[in-house]
Structures are given as C-alpha cells and as structure tokens.
Amino acid sequence: RWAGSNRTRLPRIVDLIDDSKWDSNSDRGYKTSAAFLIFLIDRYGVTRLKQVYYASSAECARRFQEVYGTSLEALEVEWQRAI
C-alpha cells in the first residue's frame, strides 16, 4: 500500500542495493526495500530471495539474474506494475 501511494517518490531499487548510495537514515529507502522484498516473496517465494539476500552490492545484479532468470531492473518494472 505505502509503495503504491508513493509511487512517484520511490528510490530506484538498483540504487538501494548499492551500498555507496544508501542513505541509512532514509525512511523512504527502508520502506521501498521492504515493499520490494514483500513483492519478491509473494511472487516468487522466500527460497529465491534467500539465495540473493546476502549478495554484496558488486554481485547483486548478477545474483538476481542467476536466481530469478531476469534482471533486477526487469523485476523492478514488474513490481512497479504490481503496486
């Protein structure tokens, strides 16, 4: 719900996985991340998420491609359409 009502102000997921761009005080960033993770669990199950959850920023995009069979950017578009 929160993500849908704040759609135009959501940070990009690719920015949230980049440790150098993360603002640890960002309430919006935390809520966006949580909404995206809930989407992934609801749509694809928790097992896949566990396979990418601890990936470093440098390997995250590659891990999403391997585990989900599509790019992180494509998953973000799918999530945006769903909210």
Side-chain angles (χ1 to χ4, degrees):
R1 287 188 127 153
W2 177 88
S5 62
N6 290 280
R7 182 185 312 250
T8 60
R9 300 180 341 187
L10 298 175
R12 294 177 55 224
I13 299 301
V14 293
D15 290 338
L16 294 176
I17 65 162
D18 186 342
D19 292 336
S20 68
K21 294 180 181 179
W22 181 254
D23 177 3
S24 62
N25 295 317
S26 172
D27 186 54
R28 189 178 316 150
Y30 280 114
K31 288 180 179 178
T32 301
S33 296
F36 184 65
L37 294 178
I38 290 167
F39 164 78
L40 291 175
I41 292 168
D42 288 348
R43 180 74 50 100
Y44 297 100
V46 72
T47 302
R48 287 187 188 187
L49 181 61
K50 286 180 179 180
Q51 294 175 30
V52 300
Y53 191 78
Y54 292 106
S56 69
S57 294
E59 64 182 18
C60 198
R62 179 184 57 78
R63 290 294 297 144
F64 267 90
Q65 183 69 45
E66 290 173 356
V67 171
Y68 288 95
T70 191
S71 69
L72 181 58
E73 292 84 356
L75 288 168
E76 182 173 5
V77 168
E78 186 180 338
W79 169 62
Q80 287 280 347
R81 288 183 181 143
I83 56 174

